[in-house]
Amino acid sequence: VSPQISQRVEQATGDARSLVAIGWNGQVRGLFVLAETVRPGAREALEACRALGLDVAVITGDHAARGRALAETLGVDVASGLLPQDKVEALARARQQFGPVAMVGDGINDAPALAASDLGIALGCGADVSRESAGVCLLGDDLALVPWSIRLARRTRAVMRQNLFWAFAYNTVGIGLA
């Protein structure tokens, strides 16, 4: 890495921006500095998940400065600098500590973690491999659909249990009367 590029890397990481390097013959020749924004409604979706009693955190492959910026913006714990296998290991640690884990993702690097989670939720706008790896695929990129889906699943389970109770009760009484 040339001194000029090294200086730009330090500046971009200090500004919590993401980087993509391009190079050939073993040398970095240029950088793309990306000004990413958090998805609209991300903070509200995380708060809605907390209101459902879920422990939430963010795992990302972004560098540490970007992770700190995300933690500040979203108000959650963020583990950064993770490769795909590191994300899988982070989920395994969370599973040991909290029990079943869910993962929401949209990128190629999220696919292994989506497959390894107890509930993988892919955003419809994401990479094909992430949608194939997840158990649930949302039809858009609105993160508000995540807590909505969890509430729907919980309500569905409650209705199924209620229906099973009444079916068993009805059949038990019916057989007794017969």
Side-chain angles (χ1 to χ4, degrees):
V1 176
S2 71
Q4 290 173 319
I5 290 179
S6 180
Q7 180 183 9
R8 293 294 296 161
V9 167
E10 288 178 28
Q11 181 183 9
T13 55
D15 293 340
R17 295 184 182 240
S18 296
L19 301 169
V20 176
I22 185 170
W24 53 92
N25 295 331
Q27 290 218 289
V28 175
R29 309 288 177 148
L31 292 174
F32 292 99
V33 179
L34 308 173
E36 296 178 296
T37 58
V38 174
R39 283 185 198 275
R43 186 178 183 98
E44 293 80 8
L46 289 169
E47 288 172 4
C49 286
R50 276 196 193 113
L52 291 170
L54 304 174
D55 292 303
V56 296
V58 172
I59 56 177
T60 181
D62 288 335
H63 56 81
R66 180 74 183 136
R68 286 189 297 275
L70 282 171
E72 185 178 311
T73 301
L74 298 174
V76 298
D77 291 334
V78 175
S80 57
L82 302 180
L83 296 172
Q85 65 268 21
D86 299 329
K87 292 179 181 182
V88 171
E89 291 168 8
L91 289 177
R93 287 190 302 274
R95 184 179 291 113
Q96 287 176 341
Q97 185 176 0
F98 300 107
V101 294
M103 165 78 181
V104 179
D106 65 353
I108 294 170
N109 291 336
D110 294 330
L114 288 167
S117 65
D118 297 294
L119 173 62
I121 302 172
L123 299 178
C125 63
D128 289 342
V129 69
S130 67
R131 291 193 306 267
E132 291 294 325
S133 300
V136 173
C137 183
L138 301 177
L139 295 179
D141 64 348
D142 184 3
L143 290 173
L145 292 173
V146 173
W148 178 85
S149 298
I150 293 169
R151 284 191 299 273
L152 177 64
R154 287 179 176 177
R155 180 70 183 132
T156 301
R157 184 177 59 192
V159 168
M160 288 172 49
R161 286 182 176 168
Q162 182 181 27
N163 288 346
L164 285 171
F165 168 79
W166 286 113
F168 285 124
Y170 173 80
N171 286 322
T172 300
V173 170
I175 290 171
L177 291 175

